[in-house]
């Protein structure tokens, strides 16, 4: 049901204006003495967009949350009457699934400029694109209104003469309605006086002077009504200069802003459900941080990395057969050689097949494929030494590529129900650890803290890898979970001590973790005989930072 947004309650309309039907309880002769009672025309609507009470509750709620909206309403209200109604209409146009504009004739004349402005917004070529980003999202719709603030100011300033004319027409219409009401009531009052013997004739008719006064009142009311009608017609037909062009600019600007913010949220992995749980101010602060943070210009790279990783997860097949390397014995019926299956065709050999199956002695194809994925924590060790500032192809820095890969690994861990740990390191005395347990939400602020941390300085392998090993040891002691995965993302080579290496190899054997290395922009780091090669089970070098698929195999085996 549509909510009633009329300026005033509907007037009583029991009889048509100018009618001559007499009231049943009055003498028949009295009807000829003046016009019948008449009510003024119903007041028009103050809202240009048709909305129900639930839509308006949403608007009032987001208006109460947003200090920026309230400041804009206060600023516009100082210069333009009814600007609050315009902001409501602009919000509803963006928020509602199928916004419907009222007919101009249904509006209060004082709100006709609002109607023209909203009509221009809805008719703008870019409105459909804006609407895709804002429909059903109070925050996005409110931000669209704020993005249109400058254009709304200009349109209201340009429309000031038209609004003044509309308000004069509205006052004239109301004055005409009041005059008609006075003219309708006068005969009744005069007749009442006549009944009391103060001024009427004995037969109850109205004296001549009183009747003349009534006719003059009615005539004045008719003239005022016709003038109001003419003014209203002029107001309805008028077009505010510059409104369509300003509306196009406003919609294009707000659409671009909404599209960019939505892309930022998607790139950083902030889902729609998570956004809905945020208050207006929380979401606005997050959006501002995403726009202005250290890695803001690499949001597109981060988004592509996450999309690539998602695609690799979809392609991943657990325990794939891989390359055929021979024949072995076992009980996996999916790998039984054809000669074994042939025995099932002979009744006398079926019992022999069953006995060999029970003993695990069937001849099977033996294959070597990708290792099964781990079950322990996924730990990304990200080098943030000074050299990681260096940019490669496309202007993308080594740090940006490494952080984008690490964020995709965070998604990978959460998809597999595994803990994720981000270790940001540089020199031996510089290290920060960010833990993201599988059973808890990974808050956007915490993710941004991890992604934006940069320590500077030199590079030490022992400190971050020791920290990673201790975390996996802790996980094994707490939950007996083994087979974690460590990913080392670095652009520098450094030595490790022989004693440390012995402890490292012992920890790998005991905890069963794997180590993946990525040499970023420095082939020598991943070259044969390098320290990183000695530490890692799986190693690759990346030089083209625009190519997110250079690390695709990580997301098939981790």
């Amino acid at each position: 049901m549509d909510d009633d947004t009329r300026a005033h309650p509907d007037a009583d309309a029991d009889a048509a204006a100018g009618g001559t039907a007499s009231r049943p309880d009055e003498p028949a002769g009295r009807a000829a003495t003046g016009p019948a009672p008449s009510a003024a025309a119903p007041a028009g609507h103050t809202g240009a967009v048709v909305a129900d009470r639930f839509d308006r509750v949403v608007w009032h709620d987001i208006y109460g949350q947003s200090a920026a909206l309230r400041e804009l309403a206060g600023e516009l209200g100082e210069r333009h009457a009814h600007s609050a109604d315009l902001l409501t209409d602009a919000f509803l146009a963006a928020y509602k699934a199928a916004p419907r504009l009222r007919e101009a004739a249904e509006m209060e004349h004082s709100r006709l400029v609002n109607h023209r402005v909203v009509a221009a917004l809805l008719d703008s070529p870019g409105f459909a694109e804006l609407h895709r980003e804002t429909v059903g999202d109070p925050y996005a719709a409110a931000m669209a209104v704020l993005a249109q603030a400058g254009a709304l100011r200009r349109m209201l300033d340009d429309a000031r003469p038209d609004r003044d004319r509309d308000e004069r027409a509205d006052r004239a219409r109301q004055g005409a309605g009041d005059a008609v009401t006075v003219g309708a009531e006068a005969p009744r009052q005069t007749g009442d006086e006549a009944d009391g013997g103060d001024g009427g004739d004995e037969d109850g008719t109205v004296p001549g002077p009183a009747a003349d006064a009534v006719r003059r009142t009615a005539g004045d009311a008719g003239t005022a009504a016709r003038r109001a009608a003419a003014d209203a017609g002029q107001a309805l037909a008028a077009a505010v200069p510059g409104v369509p062009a300003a509306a196009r600019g406003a919609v294009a600007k707000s659409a671009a802003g909404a599209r960019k913010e939505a892309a930022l949220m998607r790139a950083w992995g902030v889902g729609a459900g998570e956004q809905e749980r945020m208050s207006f101010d929380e979401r606005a602060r997050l959006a501002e941080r995403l726009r202005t943070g250290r890695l803001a210009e690499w949001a597109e790279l981060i988004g592509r990395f996450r999309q690539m990783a998602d695609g690799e997860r979809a392609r991943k097949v657990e325990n794939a057969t891989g390359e055929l390397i021979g024949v072995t014995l076992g009980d996996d019926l999916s790998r039984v050689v054809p000669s074994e299956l042939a025995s099932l065709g002979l009744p006398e050999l079926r019992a022999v097949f069953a006995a060999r199956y029970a003993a695990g002695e069937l001849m099977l194809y033996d294959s070597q494929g990708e290792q099964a994925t781990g079950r322990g924590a996924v730990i990304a060790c990200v080098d943030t030494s000074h050299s990681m500032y260096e940019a490669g192809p496309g202007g993308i820095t080594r740090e940006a590529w490494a952080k984008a890969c690490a964020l995709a690994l965070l998604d990978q861990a959460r998809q597999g129900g595994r803990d994720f740990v981000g270790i940001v390191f540089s020199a031996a005395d510089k290290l920060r650890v960010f833990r993201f347990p599988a059973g808890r939400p990974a808050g956007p602020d915490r993710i941004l803290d991890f992604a934006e941390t940069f320590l500077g300085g030199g590079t030490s392998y022992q400190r971050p890898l020791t920290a990673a090993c201790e975390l996996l040891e802790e996980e094994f002691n707490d939950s007996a979970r083994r087979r974690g995965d460590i990913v080392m993302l670095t652009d520098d080579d450094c030595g490790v001590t022989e004693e440390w290496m012995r402890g490292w190899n012992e920890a790998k054997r005991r905890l069963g973790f794997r180590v993946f290395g990525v040499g970023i922009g420095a082939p020598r780091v991943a070259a044969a005989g390098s320290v990183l090669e000695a530490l890692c089970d799986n190693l690759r070098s990346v030089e083209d930072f625009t190519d997110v698929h250079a690390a695709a195999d990580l997301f098939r085996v981790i």
Side-chain angles (χ1 to χ4, degrees), residues 5 11 15 34 171 212-213 216 222 224 233 261 365 373 407 409 420 508:
T5 56
R171 288 193 296 271
D212 289 343
R216 284 195 301 272
E261 183 166 316
Y365 286 122
T373 56
L407 292 174
L409 288 169
F420 176 81
K508 281 187 68 177

Side-chain angles (χ1 to χ4, degrees), residues 44 146 164 200 289 354 395 477 498 508:
L146 292 173
D164 292 342
R289 189 174 179 186
N477 293 336
E498 183 177 346
K508 281 187 68 177

Side-chain angles (χ1 to χ4, degrees), residues 197-224:
D198 292 333
D201 296 335
E202 293 181 359
D203 60 359
T205 60
V206 180
D212 289 343
V214 168
R215 282 191 289 272
R216 284 195 301 272
T217 300
D220 292 343
T223 300

Side-chain angles (χ1 to χ4, degrees), residues 131-373:
H131 195 243
R132 281 194 295 271
E133 302 293 347
T134 60
V135 60
D137 187 340
Y139 168 85
M143 294 304 292
V145 174
L146 292 173
Q148 296 166 2
L152 292 176
R153 291 187 194 95
R154 290 194 300 275
M155 287 188 281
L156 289 175
D157 287 340
D158 293 343
R160 185 182 293 277
D162 302 84
R163 185 182 294 279
D164 292 342
R165 185 194 58 239
D166 293 340
E167 291 179 348
R168 286 196 301 272
D170 197 40
R171 288 193 296 271
R173 180 190 63 78
Q174 292 177 6
D178 293 342
V180 169
T181 301
V182 170
E185 293 294 334
R188 192 180 309 168
Q189 295 171 0
T190 307
D192 291 341
E193 292 175 359
D195 290 341
D198 292 333
D201 296 335
E202 293 181 359
D203 60 359
T205 60
V206 180
D212 289 343
V214 168
R215 282 191 289 272
R216 284 195 301 272
T217 300
D220 292 343
T223 300
R226 287 191 295 273
R227 186 180 300 113
D231 289 343
Q234 180 185 8
L236 290 172
V240 180
V243 163
R248 284 194 298 272
V251 169
K253 178 181 178 182
S254 54
R259 186 173 60 252
K260 182 176 180 180
E261 183 166 316
L264 277 173
M265 293 289 185
R266 287 193 296 270
W268 284 92
V270 184
E274 193 170 7
Q275 295 176 44
E276 290 174 2
R277 290 191 292 272
M278 297 179 189
S279 69
F280 181 93
D281 287 340
E282 289 173 335
R283 191 165 163 187
R285 283 195 299 270
L286 175 60
E288 180 64 19
R289 189 174 179 186
L290 293 180
R291 284 192 296 268
T292 59
R294 288 190 61 252
L295 298 182
E297 61 181 307
W298 314 124
E300 189 267 342
L301 171 70
I302 294 169
R304 286 196 294 119
F305 234 113
R306 284 181 141 148
Q307 290 174 358
M308 177 276 292
D310 189 54
E312 293 301 321
R313 279 194 294 273
R315 293 173 51 196
K316 182 166 62 176
V317 178
E318 298 287 351
N319 300 316
T321 56
E323 179 186 1
L324 179 64
I325 60 173
V327 177
T328 187
L329 298 179
D331 59 0
D332 186 350
L333 296 177
S334 67
R335 296 191 286 133
V336 174
V337 301
S339 60
E340 292 278 28
L341 294 174
S343 64
L344 291 175
L346 300 173
E348 60 271 21
L349 294 180
R350 289 175 184 170
V352 176
F353 181 91
R356 295 181 63 188
Y357 172 68
E361 295 179 351
L362 293 174
M363 287 191 295
L364 311 175
Y365 286 122
D366 192 11
S367 61
Q368 178 177 321
E370 295 174 338
Q371 300 179 48
T373 56

Side-chain angles (χ1 to χ4, degrees), residues 295 379-385 388 398-407 409 420-427 430-432 434 450-451 453-456 458-460 464-465 486-491 518 520:
L295 298 182
I379 302 178
C381 298
V382 183
D383 186 354
T384 59
S385 58
M388 291 291 283
R398 297 175 178 182
E399 179 206 8
W401 195 96
K403 295 287 182 63
C405 184
L407 292 174
L409 288 169
F420 176 81
V421 181
I423 297 179
V424 179
F425 73 94
S426 58
K430 295 184 177 180
L431 181 128
R432 286 194 62 185
F434 297 84
F450 164 55
T453 297
F454 193 93
L455 303 177
T459 302
S460 168
L465 291 177
I486 299 173
V487 182
M488 188 75 166
L489 300 150
T490 182
D491 71 338
V518 184
I520 304 173

Side-chain angles (χ1 to χ4, degrees), residues 19-32 36-37:
T20 57
S22 61
R23 290 170 53 180
D25 57 346
E26 291 180 347
R30 184 170 297 172

